[in-house]
């Protein structure tokens, strides 16, 4: 099971050049998907597929999104995803 | 970025040169120049070379960082930079050759959000005018409880309660739909200010309405505002009785997955659940809609699979059959709207193809969109197929951009850009849009980013008055007092002049209904064909239609140039001391035709547009209305619109440029041949000699023709211009079309002109001119051409720019559709044994089935009695089509047969098709006793295919049926066990021969004149010869002597996916040798 720091490094690498868009500022746990990375709802879905392909396992991304919705999180920070992945992988 | 950002543009002829430019620019940053100064400098230096680079930066530090990043990337050979913080570069611009098309996409409900576009209001003050207008109209009609402006107010200025209120209101259908329409319209206006123009338009869901408005299919949001506002309000209140609550769910999977999940849920429930795929947005999003119960079931299955699923806060079951109870309210909302023919490529989100041209069909498709799925994926793929490479979302948020990006993921030659995102600064997002269009070579005007002065407000009448006074002399020439009165007052000007006082010098104006000096005029003209000989000589469908009645012509219509003349005359009455120097944005929405039983009327309304007028040029906004009978004009549906420009004098006529064409060669079409393929009578035949002809265009000698035969009661009409000459100047291009190898889609009817410029008055009859015409643009549905009319001194008398024609696809047979109807045939030969007769088959052209062209088809092919019957038909559209084209095909079969027999070339309208008491069709000769050897006929139609046979034998029958798999129940009813045995042996899959057998039975029934009144088994197939398709049938239980024990020969064949059978009831011994047959029981 990868450590959360490893997962953050993975995520930073994936998100720096994701879905045809490049992002040059540092990506950390507080970086927001929508406000800073400019994510749309489709990008969220594609990220789920990308991560499953990267980690070669089902990560039930839908459950992660559902839990964020339940908690009324308007804009998810990258750290929240890293935390979820560290518990799921 | 929170500070106001600046846009920086760079171009060079090579990567190395670009690097040099950036390095030099970097030193300017460090030298401490201000950001705006640097931006202006970059703009002034930026050229049109490739490669290009663009940067958006908020301050010097940000700019320095980004320039360094760009230098680093370019130095390392990166082929592109897509840094969403604001650095864009590509070495493969999508529009380097200028051929890539731009598509605008308008979002619908779901894209609205509080404070949308608020960041644009200061930079584009005219947007405030739009919102104020909306609020004013809302206040006066109280459509919505609170105004619109608050939806566009910056959220930072709102209290928590106000924000919550707005968020709730934006979920209501009336607020949501209207807000998104206005937001889309505002963004369209803004993007146009950037010089960005679409080649195609489409809208998603409710966004389709604004797409239709922008393309002027629905005329302008101002006029439709109150209709839509009231309509959505009613729709929002409408609650169909018993309609269950619905839920919408967006899932992160394609439509196929969604459909499978719905099927699985149905299987588990043991019944079809009420859930539907409503929006096929992209491979990673599908919206499903259904009853709450059904969606709850589906959601459970989806969640189990770990798929992302998000509920949407929309209450109505859009784009599904569940919306059907709302359709009556929706159709009531749409009915008052004015739909016009399409003259711009607008794609339907229901069919994913272009909207059809017919306004009725557009109306139906627009209404149907609300209960049909949104086919967004196919829509984007089809636009890509048709050459669109840049997709710009015009409206709030970037939903459609995300969908489009996903759909076109595998394509490397596309650019998808939103004009707005919820998270970005509104103005800055326009910079990002501009930057990306610039680097890819798309047309964009970034000048507004480099000018700190806000745009002039459109409602600033004082500013216009001031600019008028700057040129006092011209102002005085332009009726100083009248202009001043209009601009300073809110009431109309002087009392209307009386009819007796108003001048009536012109032939296209009978009456002045209203005249407000210097401001507005309404003129009217009674249209009577007996008086308007110019229309009697302008008959769509042709003029050589009948030998029996040589006066039978096609549909008489007022030529476009006479409508233009009517507008010019009305303008001249309003401003008699001025000249009409130009007309622009001429659009024709419906023909001006004549009433067959009474009178028709045309009315012109022309009004001064003070805002667009200048001291040396007045602008009139003009509309033409047309109606029959006594009801009066429908002011919501003009027949034509135009802008008329007047000045004190004509501009100096330009000298005509050299007329160069490539592949120059002689034109093979003579003027005589030209007019055989047009529908213009002698008064219009003004092309005398063809000149230069080449790939792009043609030149011809033309002349101003005599005018005494244009009006019955007026032998010397005093025109403003010569409408006949203008019409004639368009004819040479028809000769050009006739010379093209591919004759498909070359029946052309005018739909508008971008601009006509006049440089002189009406010439005298007999004055020679040259017409030079060039094709400007060609699409599958439109041709656009430019024509210069040049006088004997080589100077331009008139220039027609962007003259547009709608293309109709009708068969070409030696002549085109307008050609002589004793030669022209719509149908094709269908080969059958000559002893049977002569056969014709017709695939009814789609363009002849539409309500615009179909009456013309009837008028040029039917006799008077048949045409009278046609006009009284009260049948569904497809049955009318079968009635008409069945007759035409039968007539053409008779014409072919009679010509073979006698050499006489009959006209289609001179063959009459009647029916006996038993419904058998009979052909007679119009206007004379029908010869005894006149052919007998039989005909059959299936869908849009008709087949007809003309024969010497009275007992002739034909039938055509579509080959489809037949149900076992049908087979058991239609065929005896013996027939089924034959079928099993020759066609075990039962694919083709059951239809052939059935068709054979029908053909025999027709030939005998009884049909299958005793049931299908009364005609029994007893043998078949597969290679020839010949079947033998016996009649069972029939008292007809001579046939009971003898086989009847029926010929069968297959054409495309149709089975065709025909017979003249030959007995077996007269037909094919019996030993070739396969009998039942063998």
């Amino acid at each position: 099971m990868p450590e959360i720091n490893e997962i953050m490094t993975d995520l930073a690498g994936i998100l720096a050049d994701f879905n045809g868009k490049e992002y040059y500022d540092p990506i950390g746990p507080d970086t927001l998907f929508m406000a800073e990375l400019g994510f749309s709802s489709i990008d969220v879905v594609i990220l789920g597929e990308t991560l499953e392909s990267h980690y070669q396992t089902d990560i039930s991304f839908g459950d992660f999104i559902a839990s964020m919705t339940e908690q009324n999180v308007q804009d998810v920070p990258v750290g929240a995803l890293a935390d979820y992945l560290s518990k799921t992988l | 970025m929170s500070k106001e950002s600046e846009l920086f543009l760079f171009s060079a002829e090579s990567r190395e040169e670009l690097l040099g430019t950036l390095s030099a620019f970097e030193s300017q940053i460090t030298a401490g120049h201000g950001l705006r100064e640097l931006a202006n400098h970059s703009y002034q230096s930026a050229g049109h070379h490739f490669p290009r680079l663009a940067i958006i930066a908020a301050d010097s530090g940000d700019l320095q960082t980004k320039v360094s990043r760009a230098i680093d990337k370019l130095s390392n050979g990166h082929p592109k930079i897509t840094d969403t913080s604001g650095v864009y570069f590509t070495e493969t611009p999508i529009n380097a050759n200028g051929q890539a098309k731009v598509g605008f996409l308008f979002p619908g409900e779901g894209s609205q959000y509080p404070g949308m576009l608020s960041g644009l209001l200061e930079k584009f003050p005219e947007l405030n005018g739009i919102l104020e207008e909306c609020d004013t109209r809302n206040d006066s009609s109280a459509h919505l409880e609170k105004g619109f402006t608050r939806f566009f107010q910056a959220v930072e200025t709102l209290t928590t309660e106000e924000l919550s209120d707005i968020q709730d209101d934006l979920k209501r259908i009336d607020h949501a739909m209207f807000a998104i329409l206005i937001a889309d319209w505002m963004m369209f206006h803004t993007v146009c200010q950037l010089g960005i123009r679409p080649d195609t338009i489409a809208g998603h869901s409710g966004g389709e309405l604004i797409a239709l408005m922008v393309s002027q299919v629905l005329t302008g949001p101002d006029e439709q505002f109150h209709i839509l506002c009231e309509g959505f309000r009613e729709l929002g209140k409408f609650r169909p009785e018993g309609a269950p609550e619905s839920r919408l769910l967006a899932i992160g999977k394609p439509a196929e997955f969604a459909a499978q999940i719905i099927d699985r849920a149905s299987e588990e429930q043991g019944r079809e659940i009420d859930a539907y795929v409503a929006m096929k947005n992209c491979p990673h999003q599908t919206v499903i809609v259904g009853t709450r119960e059904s969606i709850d079931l589906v959601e459970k299955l989806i969640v189990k699979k770990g798929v992302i699923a998000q509920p949407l806060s929309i209450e109505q079951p859009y784009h599904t059959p569940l919306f059907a109870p709302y359709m009556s309210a929706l159709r009531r909302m749409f009915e008052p709207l004015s739909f016009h023919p399409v003259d711009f490529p607008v794609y339907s989100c229901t069919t994913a193809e272009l909207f059809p041209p017919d306004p009725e069909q557009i109306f139906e498709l627009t209404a149907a969109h609300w209960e049909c799925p949104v086919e967004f994926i196919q829509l984007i793929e089809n636009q890509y197929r048709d050459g669109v490479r840049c997709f710009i979302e015009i409206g709030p948020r970037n939903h459609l951009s995300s969908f489009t990006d996903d759909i076109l993921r595998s394509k490397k030659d596309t650019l998808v850009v939103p004009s707005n995102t919820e998270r970005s600064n509104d103005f800055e997002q326009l910079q990002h849009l501009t930057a990306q269009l610039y680097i890819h070579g798309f047309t964009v005007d970034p000048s507004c980013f480099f000018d700190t002065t806000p745009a002039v407000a459109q409602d600033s009448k004082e500013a216009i008055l001031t600019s008028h006074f700057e040129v006092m002399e011209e102002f005085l020439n332009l009726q100083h007092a009248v202009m001043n009165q209009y601009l300073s007052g809110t009431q109309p000007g002087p009392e209307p002049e009386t009819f007796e006082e108003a001048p009536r010098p012109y032939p296209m104006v009978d009456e002045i209904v209203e005249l407000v000096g210097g401001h507005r005029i309404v003129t009217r003209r009674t249209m009577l064909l007996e008086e308007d000989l110019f229309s009697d000589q302008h008959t769509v469908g042709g003029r050589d239609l009948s030998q029996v009645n040589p006066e039978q012509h096609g549909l008489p219509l007022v030529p476009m140039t006479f409508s233009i003349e009517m507008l010019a005359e009305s303008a001249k009455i309003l401003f008699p001391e001025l000249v009409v120097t130009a007309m622009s944005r001429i659009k024709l929405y419906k023909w001006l035709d004549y009433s067959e039983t009474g009178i028709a009327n045309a009315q012109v309304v022309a009004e001064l547009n003070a805002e667009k007028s200048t001291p040396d040029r007045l602008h009139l906004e003009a509309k033409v209305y047309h109606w029959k009978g006594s009801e009066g004009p429908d002011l919501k549906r003009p027949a034509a619109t135009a802008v008329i420009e007047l000045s004190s004098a004509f501009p100096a006529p330009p000298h005509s440029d050299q007329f160069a064409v490539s592949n120059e060669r002689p034109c093979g079409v003579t003027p005589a041949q030209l007019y055989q393929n047009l529908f213009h009578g002698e008064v219009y035949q003004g092309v005398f000699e063809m000149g230069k002809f080449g790939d792009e265009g043609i030149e011809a000698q033309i002349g101003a023709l005599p005018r005494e035969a244009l009006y019955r009661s007026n032998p010397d009409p005093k025109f403003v211009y010569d409408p006949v000459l203008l019409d004639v100047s368009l004819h040479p291009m028809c000769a050009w079309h006739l010379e093209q190898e591919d004759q498909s889609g070359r029946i052309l009817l005018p739909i508008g002109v971008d601009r006509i410029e006049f440089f002189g008055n009406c010439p005298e009859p007999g004055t020679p001119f040259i017409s030079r015409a060039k094709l400007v643009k060609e699409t599958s549905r439109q041709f656009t051409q430019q024509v210069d009319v040049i006088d004997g001194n080589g100077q331009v008398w008139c220039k027609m720019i962007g003259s547009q024609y709608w293309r109709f696809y009708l068969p070409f047979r030696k002549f085109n559709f307008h050609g002589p109807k004793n030669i022209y045939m719509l149908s094709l030969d269908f080969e059958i044994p000559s002893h049977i007769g002569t056969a014709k088959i017709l695939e009814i052209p789609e363009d002849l089935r539409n309500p615009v062209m179909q009456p013309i088809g009837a008028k040029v092919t039917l006799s008077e009695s048949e045409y009278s019957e046609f006009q009284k038909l009260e049948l569904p559209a497809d049955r009318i089509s079968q009635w008409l084209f069945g007759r035409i095909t039968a007539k053409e079969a008779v014409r072919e047969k009679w010509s073979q027999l006698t050499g006489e070339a009959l006209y289609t309208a001179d063959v009459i098709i009647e029916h006996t008491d038993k419904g058998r069709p009979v052909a007679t000769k119009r206007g004379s006793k029908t010869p005894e050897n006149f052919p007998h006929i039989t005909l059959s139609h299936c869908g849009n295919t008709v087949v007809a046979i003309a024969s010497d034998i009275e007992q002739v029958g034909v039938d055509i049926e579509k080959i489809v798999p037949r149900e076992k129940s049908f087979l058991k009813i239609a065929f005896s066990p013996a027939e089924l045995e034959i079928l099993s042996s020759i066609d075990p899959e039962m694919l083709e021969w059951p239809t052939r057998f059935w068709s054979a039975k029908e053909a025999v029934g027709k030939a005998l004149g009884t049909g299958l009144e005793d049931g299908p088994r009364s005609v029994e197939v007893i043998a078949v010869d597969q290679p020839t398709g010949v079947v033998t049938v016996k009649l069972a239980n029939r008292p007809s002597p001579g046939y009971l024990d003898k086989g009847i020969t029926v010929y069968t064949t297959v054409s495309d996916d149709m089975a065709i059978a025909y017979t003249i009831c030959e007995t077996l011994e007269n037909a094919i040798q019996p030993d070739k047959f396969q009998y039942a029981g063998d």
Side-chain angles (χ1 to χ4, degrees), chain B residues 874-890:
Chain B
E874 288 181 5
L875 294 169
D878 58 338
R879 294 282 307 281
I880 293 179
S881 188
Q882 287 176 352
W883 185 99
L884 174 62
F885 292 101
R887 258 164 190 72
I888 291 173
T889 312

Side-chain angles (χ1 to χ4, degrees), chain A residues 34-84:
Chain A
M34 286 188 181
E36 294 180 78
L37 297 175
F39 258 52
S40 68
S41 54
I42 306 300
D43 291 325
V44 171
V45 177
I46 297 169
L47 178 62
E49 289 181 358
T50 306
L51 292 173
E52 286 187 349
S53 172
H54 181 80
Y55 291 110
Q56 292 291 299
T57 185
D58 175 18
I59 60 171
S60 296
F61 206 63
D63 293 342
F64 169 68
I65 299 299
S67 72
M68 292 291 107
T69 307
E70 271 170 34
Q71 293 170 53
N72 205 27
V73 176
Q74 298 295 320
D75 196 352
V76 177
V78 176
L81 175 58
D83 186 50
Y84 172 79

Side-chain angles (χ1 to χ4, degrees), chain B residues 788-799:
Chain B
D788 287 354
V789 184
I790 299 143
D791 66 19
N793 298 320
Q795 293 179 326
V796 178
W797 171 73
C798 169
K799 194 181 265 292

Side-chain angles (χ1 to χ4, degrees), chain A residues 32-36 38-39 74-76, chain B residues 1 113 397-398 420-426 428-429:
Chain A
L32 297 171
F33 274 105
M34 286 188 181
E36 294 180 78
F39 258 52
Q74 298 295 320
D75 196 352
V76 177
Chain B
M1 288 181 216
Y113 61 92
R397 283 216 178 117
N398 58 331
N420 178 266
T421 72
E422 193 178 358
R423 304 290 169 178
S424 301
N425 173 284
D426 293 333
E428 188 189 310
Q429 182 56 34

Side-chain angles (χ1 to χ4, degrees), chain B residues 668-669 673-674 676-678 734-748 808-821 823-829 842-843 845 848 892:
Chain B
V669 175
Q673 288 167 332
L674 167 66
Q676 279 187 307
N677 285 280
L678 287 177
C734 300
W736 181 90
H737 280 289
L738 285 168
E739 278 281 77
Q740 304 310 307
E741 202 177 312
D742 177 9
Q743 280 298 306
S744 58
R746 295 193 194 268
I747 296 295
L748 308 178
F808 290 93
Y809 287 76
L810 302 177
F812 183 90
R813 313 259 192 259
K814 293 184 191 170
F815 295 97
N816 68 20
F817 177 70
H818 301 305
K821 297 300 186 288
I823 299 173
Y824 183 80
M825 296 235 193
L826 270 176
S827 58
L828 290 169
D829 293 336
L842 174 65
E843 191 71 39
L848 270 183
E892 290 181 351

